[in-house]
Each structure stands twice: as C-alpha cells, then as structure tokens.
Amino acid sequence: MRAASTGLSGVLSSLRYLLSDFIGEGDDDEPFLPQGLPDSASPIVSDGIHRLIEYQGAAYANLYVDRLRRFVGKRGVDDAMFGEIARLMAMRMSYEDPIRIAQLKLAELETDTGDSRARSADDVRKFRLDELVDVLPAVVAEPVLDGLDWAGWLHKTVSIRFSTTSWWGIRRLKIEASLRRWRRFSVRYSKERLWVERWLHMIDRGLIKQPAAASTMVRTATMVQGYGDAYRQGLADWHAIIDGLAKPTFDGVLPLRDLAGAVAEARAAALPDPRQAALKRTIAEIRARALSCGTSAAAGLGMS
C-alpha cells in the first residue's frame, strides 16, 4: 500500500509540474546569489540564473546555484576560475535542443523593431532522429529509439525549419517552446545532467591531484557545444581525453606530470572525424611517453 501511495505521489508531482504553466503555479522560488561569492563573479552568476530561469525555470536555476556552492571558498579556486566555472556551467546547462532554438527564435521577435527586414530569414537546422526523440520523456522516447534502431534510422538526419516569417511559423515555435515542461523528464536531460556532474568531478579531482591542471579541466567544457554532429563529435572527443588522460592520471595509474599540457596537445589533435583517428593516436603517444618516463624514473630510483 505504501509503495502504491509513493508511486501515485510521484505521478501527481510530475503532472503538477507539467501543468504549472496552466494552473499559474511556479515550480520553485527564484534563487539568491550564493553567500561568499567573489564580487567579480556576481554579474556572471546573476546572468546565469536569469538565463536558466528563462531556459527551464526557477528550480533549474536553483540547481545551478547549488552546484556553484561547491566551489565558493574552495582551496585553489580563485575569482577568475570561479567566474569561468559559473559562465561555462550556465552555457552547458542551457544546451541547444529544438526547444531551446524555438525559445531563442521567439526572443528575436521580442526585440524586433517592427521592421520586417530586421527579422531573420527562415532558419533551417539539421538534427539526427535520435537527437529529436531524446527531448521526449524517457517513457515515450525509449521504445521509439528502439524502433528507429531496429529500422536503421537512428542516425538519419532530418531538417527542421524554425520560421518567424509567418503566423503558422510563429505559432509552431510557441508550441515547440512550450515543450520545455517535458525537458526535465527527457532522455537528453538525464545525459546532460550526468555530463555536467562528471565535468565538475574532474575539476574537483584536478584541484586535489594536479592543481596546475584545474583551470584546464574547467575549459574542457568548451569542447561540448551546439547540436547535431558537431555536438556529438565534441562530446566524444571530451570523453576520449578524460578517459585516456585525466582520469587515469587522477587515479594514479598514468604518471603524467603535466596534465594541462597533455590535454592541450590532445585537443589540438581533435578533428571533425567520427573515427577520432588523430586524437586517439595522439592520446596513445602521450600515454606511451608518460609511461616510459615513469618507468625510467622508477629504474633510476632503484639504481640509486
């Protein structure tokens, strides 16, 4: 009986959140700036809060602030690094999906001066089918993704038109933007949440294990941007560098003394290549050099 009651409570909570736009209820109180925030970071964090309220709502902005609190006053995090974490996290948390693009196109209308020439032309974007389905709640998306995979259409590219030049185009944008209420239940949201948490974890580990590389870990967020093939390529390259260089260094299994330099070298080798041939070769070379140096150093200690 208790399990059934808990399940019903969860369903009602979800429905209440999804319908809050219609019943006039907000999803949470707007967050305040964290205490102890560096003065130089205040405008960056304030902009991030407003950006994420517009993107998803106050509860989502509160998540942003909670994540930032981990770094307030943290050893090794100076004002510049904190500001960069705040800026990049706000950008990553407002990731570009079709819902976001619709929101941005509608925002263009609000700043329109009334001159039709000021309006942008029809904006056509290309998405993979799995990328479009990922914005749906998992309970709906997962069987659809399975069906697309079975049919061999999972990676099929389709063009979506985002238009502000007609009544129907604007109406469709409003419908698409309204789907933000489903975003937090989507497959994509779960993936993005895990990615941000792993990025923050790598920064934390960098501060402890190799403080000189912590800023480099922060800046790796710039690898993951946009949508479509560029987004997926950047994400795959990020994981390759983290799994091949950063994580084993932090775990103590790769004696890489200059992680910052190694990451910069690997990033320079990253090309728009789904096979990641140049990147994987460079990571392998960096690992081989580090292991060779580590073996030589160990041998030298043994002889002494």
Side-chain angles (χ1 to χ4, degrees):
M1 179 70 73
R2 181 178 298 176
S5 175
T6 301
L8 178 60
S9 175
V11 171
L12 291 176
S13 176
S14 297
L15 288 173
R16 185 179 184 183
Y17 172 77
L18 292 170
L19 296 175
S20 62
D21 276 346
F22 300 100
I23 64 179
E25 181 180 340
D27 54 1
D28 209 341
D29 294 328
E30 292 187 13
F32 296 101
L33 294 177
Q35 290 186 348
L37 191 69
D39 290 341
S40 61
S42 294
I44 300 172
V45 176
S46 181
D47 287 347
I49 289 172
H50 288 101
R51 179 189 184 105
L52 295 174
I53 288 174
E54 175 193 357
Y55 181 82
Q56 188 59 41
Y60 196 52
N62 270 300
L63 174 60
Y64 169 70
V65 171
D66 286 342
R67 284 168 164 168
L68 283 177
R69 285 196 181 100
R70 305 181 201 176
F71 298 95
V72 174
K74 193 175 185 70
R75 183 176 181 180
V77 179
D78 60 17
D79 292 2
M81 185 188 294
F82 189 94
E84 193 72 349
I85 293 171
R87 183 181 69 84
L88 291 174
M89 181 158 44
M91 290 178 62
R92 191 63 250 145
M93 287 180 68
S94 54
Y95 55 88
E96 278 191 87
D97 58 9
I99 301 170
R100 176 58 172 170
I101 295 171
Q103 289 177 314
L104 293 174
K105 297 300 290 185
L106 289 171
E108 287 182 10
L109 286 178
E110 294 180 2
T111 58
D112 194 345
T113 60
D115 184 353
S116 60
R117 292 173 300 178
R119 293 189 183 184
S120 61
D122 288 355
D123 192 351
V124 179
R125 310 283 184 107
K126 291 185 177 181
F127 298 91
R128 285 189 352 186
L129 280 176
D130 58 342
E131 191 172 15
L132 292 175
V133 177
D134 274 355
V135 304
L136 300 174
V139 67
V140 176
E142 288 171 356
V144 174
L145 290 170
D146 288 342
L148 290 173
D149 190 25
W150 177 83
W153 293 351
L154 201 61
H155 299 163
K156 183 178 177 63
T157 301
V158 295
S159 296
I160 304 294
R161 186 181 303 276
F162 296 88
S163 174
T164 58
T165 58
S166 68
W167 175 86
W168 168 242
I170 294 171
R171 179 60 182 166
R172 202 185 78 177
L173 288 175
K174 290 180 178 180
I175 293 172
E176 291 166 347
S178 71
L179 295 177
R180 79 178 187 127
R181 282 291 170 188
W182 295 96
R183 188 187 271 132
R184 286 170 62 185
F185 303 98
S186 70
V187 173
R188 175 73 183 274
Y189 177 83
S190 297
K191 293 177 180 177
E192 290 288 340
R193 183 161 185 156
L194 288 173
W195 183 89
V196 172
E197 289 297 335
R198 192 180 191 206
W199 172 61
L200 295 176
H201 181 58
M202 288 298 118
I203 298 170
D204 271 327
R205 297 200 72 187
L207 288 166
I208 296 169
K209 299 289 187 177
Q210 262 199 47
S215 292
T216 299
M217 290 295 100
V218 174
R219 290 192 295 270
T220 60
T222 61
M223 297 178 66
V224 186
Q225 298 185 49
Y227 61 93
D229 290 340
Y231 164 81
R232 291 180 182 277
Q233 181 74 61
L235 184 62
D237 291 347
W238 186 86
H239 281 295
I241 291 173
I242 296 302
D243 292 335
L245 299 176
K247 186 177 185 300
T249 298
F250 297 150
D251 289 346
V253 298
L254 182 66
L256 190 57
R257 295 183 178 181
D258 182 14
L259 177 59
V263 170
E265 183 180 348
R267 290 189 63 173
L271 302 172
D273 172 17
R275 298 172 303 167
Q276 299 177 298
L279 175 60
K280 289 178 178 178
R281 182 171 59 250
T282 300
I283 290 174
E285 291 170 354
I286 293 170
R287 288 175 59 89
R289 291 200 306 264
L291 291 170
S292 176
C293 290
T295 301
S296 299
L301 288 173
M303 291 178 64
S304 63

